[in-house]
Amino acid sequence: MTQAASQDLTARAGARPLDALRCDIGGPPELTGVVEAHLRLLGAHTARQADAGGSGRAVLGGGGFGPQAAEVLWTDPMGPARDAVAAPADVAPGGPGPGLGAVHDEATAQAVTGVMSVHGRRDGSPRGLGVDYTATAAGVLAVQGLLAGLVAEARGGSAGRVTTSAVRAGLLAVSQYVAAAGADEGEAAPLAPGGPPFTSADGVVFELETLDPGAWAAFWRALGAPADALRSGWRPFQFRYATACAPFPEALHTTVRGAAWSRIQAAAAASGAEVCALRTLAERAAEHDHAPPWTLTPYGPGRLVARRQVPTADRPLAGITVLEAGRRIQAPLAAHLLRLLGADVVRIEPPGGDPLRGMPPACGGVSARWLALNRGKDAVEADIKSPSGRRRLRDLVADADVFLHNWAPGKAAQLALDADDLARVNPGLVYAYTSGWAGRIEGAPMGTDFMVQARTGVGEAVRPADEPPAPSLMTLLDVLGGLLGAEAVLAGLLLRERAGGRGVRVDSSLLGAADMLVGPALARGARRPAGFRRPLRTTDGWVAPADGCAGAVGAYDLGGLAAVDAVRLLSSHGLGAAVVAPGPGALLPGALGRDAYGAPVVPDPWTFG
């Protein structure tokens, strides 16, 4: 990127909370590239230092702040999770264990955390993501830790140090699947191969989306699908966000293969369902506007913010109150991360409570997946469609620091709950909107994870060249979008502190997450080579070669060996590999705790101090 283009991108990110700060960065670009790019967008002057070996390091300071340090590793020792009621006796030492392989790159991090096993559910065997997902997420987590430390220092705390890793990021990404695997009951839909995308008679590969069973049925009836197939297909389709697979009847694929794309589009329009043809990376590159992953916009006269509580080293957001009106994954995950950083989070739920609390499988009578994103939050019920419910929300906003939501586009303005409306109640509010498209793509379909993957070339980027493009049924963008949402809120809180208490509107999106994920692929101008990050079968499981060793590993016959023995053989020849976890988090059992409901808890994403 040219210097002029970089300056333009920084300007478009909005206000710069890191002006006058400098960051010295060292270590592998795959671990620190996101850190460097995001700190620069936020206004810091970044400088590359000598190689720091296999770890990434960043030291941020200046502008009246003491040095905040961050370390980004492939794996690291992990203590008990904050939400665990009791620490397990065998806390993981930072890796998958003796004989299971060392974690020192993206492939091995995906293998041991269960990312490969979850992503591969649709195919019936583990698959590596062709994008550097865990390293990208770890970079965002490191920026979050640095920003949280600066917010704490601005509020009376002291400078500190934060550590995170690709393994922690991978475990966070699969935390819902980890929770479901350890629940008291089985899944509501089968874990079996199958799922979208679909292919039309004229060869258009597309995604289908609807949250309405009536629209689902009307779409398939319009195309002449068998009644029993559309009935039995709805449940696995509906639960694919939770299970990462959708084994619906083959008759549905057969139906669309017999219909032209124009007919499929007409059926979607008439039924209320939505379809989106998969875009290639080249198509995304041609329309890419190079927008930043979030924007920060100060507004209002501001007000002095009372210091309700002095932050501590491991709770840098202590005394901050976050109101969250989130649904599904993106906004709830952003608020979950803010709570882990010490904020008090209050969920705004409809009368009767969030229906997703009852989504199977359950632990202690509460949805395990819901707990993974919402444990430890308080809740207030308010019908925001009614005047009294909106008054209740405004009363809560008056004493809050952050209001966070991911409502459908236009809903906040329709309810008079947009940033300008709430600024009249609280001129120092950080108003955060985590959307699907951020209004950047005209005529965009519904802004859900798989539709954004389809529209932005992610479906091509995650697959090597010898596999047909297909969006992952693991919720890649919902998770990464939640990470970006939390990062944007932290940047907004810091900007508020440095701007005399002025309110800040922060906007992030799934589109921003997608662009961050496919950015390296767009720069390469090509997909990963055939067989990239494809695990190798052993007698009792799978082995994932490290990225730099994949070619050389092909010279060894591993098919007759147990996975542990295969890793040891390769290691004896200087080749890196790791055993692929058979399920999410399965190779790191000591790193998992249990919450008060008995649901599994993954380690906190950061260690402070």
Side-chain angles (χ1 to χ4, degrees):
M1 184 182 295
T2 66
Q3 182 177 1
S6 178
Q7 291 172 344
D8 175 66
L9 182 58
T10 301
R12 291 166 65 190
R16 294 152 50 98
L18 298 184
D19 271 342
L21 276 76
R22 172 190 172 92
C23 188
D24 295 323
I25 298 178
E30 55 267 41
L31 285 175
T32 58
V34 168
V35 179
E36 183 175 12
H38 286 203
L39 294 179
R40 192 186 309 122
L41 284 173
L42 292 169
H45 172 73
T46 61
R48 274 275 163 187
Q49 303 301 306
D51 193 348
S55 65
R57 292 183 176 85
V59 180
L60 180 65
F65 291 93
Q68 301 284 340
E71 187 170 24
V72 195
L73 309 170
W74 286 113
T75 189
D76 65 310
M78 293 175 286
R82 187 184 303 274
D83 293 329
V85 294
D90 55 340
V91 173
L100 298 177
V103 178
H104 51 72
D105 72 346
E106 178 69 28
T108 48
Q110 288 188 24
V112 304
T113 56
V115 169
M116 284 188 175
S117 64
V118 174
H119 172 58
R121 282 180 178 177
R122 185 223 325 262
D123 301 293
S125 62
R127 287 286 191 276
L129 291 164
V131 291
D132 292 346
Y133 191 77
T134 67
T136 298
V140 178
L141 288 169
V143 175
Q144 290 173 4
L146 288 169
L147 291 172
L150 292 172
V151 171
E153 189 177 353
R155 298 175 55 242
S158 58
R161 179 184 186 87
V162 62
T163 301
T164 190
S165 68
V167 164
R168 295 200 204 195
L171 288 172
L172 178 67
V174 298
S175 59
Q176 293 183 83
Y177 308 100
V178 170
D184 299 335
E185 58 186 14
E187 292 279 4
L191 297 181
F198 301 95
T199 305
S200 70
D202 39 356
V204 177
V205 181
F206 67 95
E207 273 285 344
L208 167 69
E209 184 64 282
T210 179
L211 308 179
D212 178 6
W216 163 270
F219 172 80
W220 290 108
R221 288 193 191 103
L223 296 176
D228 58 342
L230 72 87
R231 282 194 299 269
S232 60
W234 167 247
R235 192 167 185 81
F237 180 83
Q238 178 190 25
F239 275 87
R240 73 197 190 285
Y241 281 92
T243 60
C245 57
F248 45 65
E250 181 61 27
L252 299 182
H253 282 290
T254 302
T255 296
V256 293
R257 283 197 295 265
W261 176 234
S262 58
R263 184 183 170 199
I264 291 168
Q265 289 177 299
S271 66
E274 296 197 34
V275 292
C276 179
L278 267 61
R279 294 289 186 102
T280 64
L281 289 169
E283 288 174 314
R284 180 62 190 144
E287 68 171 7
H288 197 2
D289 60 1
H290 298 286
W294 22 243
T295 58
L296 312 174
T297 309
Y299 64 85
R303 72 177 185 185
L304 294 177
V305 180
R307 300 288 185 252
R308 289 186 287 265
Q309 187 177 346
V310 177
T312 61
D314 65 339
R315 294 178 60 86
L317 296 190
I320 295 290
T321 298
V322 176
L323 295 182
E324 176 224 320
R327 55 180 185 169
R328 299 172 77 88
I329 299 172
Q330 184 186 15
L333 175 58
H336 172 67
L337 292 167
L338 298 173
R339 187 188 66 80
L340 290 177
L341 289 167
D344 296 316
V345 178
V346 180
R347 279 181 55 80
I348 308 300
E349 299 188 359
D354 185 349
L356 292 182
R357 289 175 184 265
M359 180 183 183
C363 278
V366 180
S367 168
R369 289 192 179 88
W370 189 90
L371 286 168
L373 299 176
N374 297 295
R375 65 170 61 90
K377 300 176 183 177
D378 293 325
V380 172
E381 295 182 13
D383 181 5
I384 60 173
K385 296 179 182 178
S386 71
S388 62
R390 292 193 291 275
R391 282 195 300 271
R392 174 65 169 139
L393 178 57
R394 292 189 187 97
D395 288 343
L396 293 168
V397 163
D399 294 321
D401 298 280
V402 178
F403 177 65
L404 167 68
H405 73 90
N406 62 339
W407 295 332
K411 180 177 179 179
Q414 179 186 358
L415 296 172
L417 296 174
D418 210 343
D420 291 340
D421 302 304
L422 297 186
R424 288 190 281 272
V425 177
N426 182 346
L429 183 71
V430 174
Y431 184 101
Y433 181 33
T434 59
S435 68
W437 300 103
R440 288 168 45 199
I441 292 186
E442 186 176 352
M446 190 184 305
T448 57
D449 190 311
F450 307 142
M451 295 294 264
V452 178
Q453 284 195 53
R455 181 64 177 74
T456 58
V458 173
E460 183 175 33
V462 298
R463 297 266 175 170
D466 58 337
E467 295 181 15
S472 176
L473 285 181
M474 180 178 162
T475 50
L476 302 180
L477 300 187
D478 275 336
V479 169
L480 205 53
L483 287 168
L484 285 177
E487 181 186 52
V489 168
L490 289 162
L493 286 168
L494 180 60
L495 183 60
R496 182 181 72 165
E497 292 292 336
R498 301 193 75 191
R502 290 189 68 188
V504 182
R505 173 170 180 142
V506 301
D507 288 88
S508 61
S509 65
L510 299 182
L511 177 58
D515 283 344
M516 182 170 61
L517 200 56
V518 303
L522 295 180
R524 286 194 309 270
R527 298 169 68 182
R528 299 285 197 175
F532 184 73
R533 289 189 187 143
R534 188 171 298 157
L536 304 174
R537 194 79 161 101
T538 65
T539 58
D540 61 348
W542 301 82
V543 164
D547 285 335
C549 304
V553 165
Y556 298 86
D557 182 7
L558 307 180
L561 299 176
V564 169
D565 293 331
V567 168
R568 287 173 176 156
L569 171 66
L570 295 174
S571 179
S572 70
H573 291 275
L575 302 174
V579 175
V580 178
L587 289 182
L588 298 164
L592 305 181
R594 294 272 177 174
D595 68 10
Y597 292 89
V601 183
V602 302
D604 288 358
W606 328 264
T607 296
F608 290 94

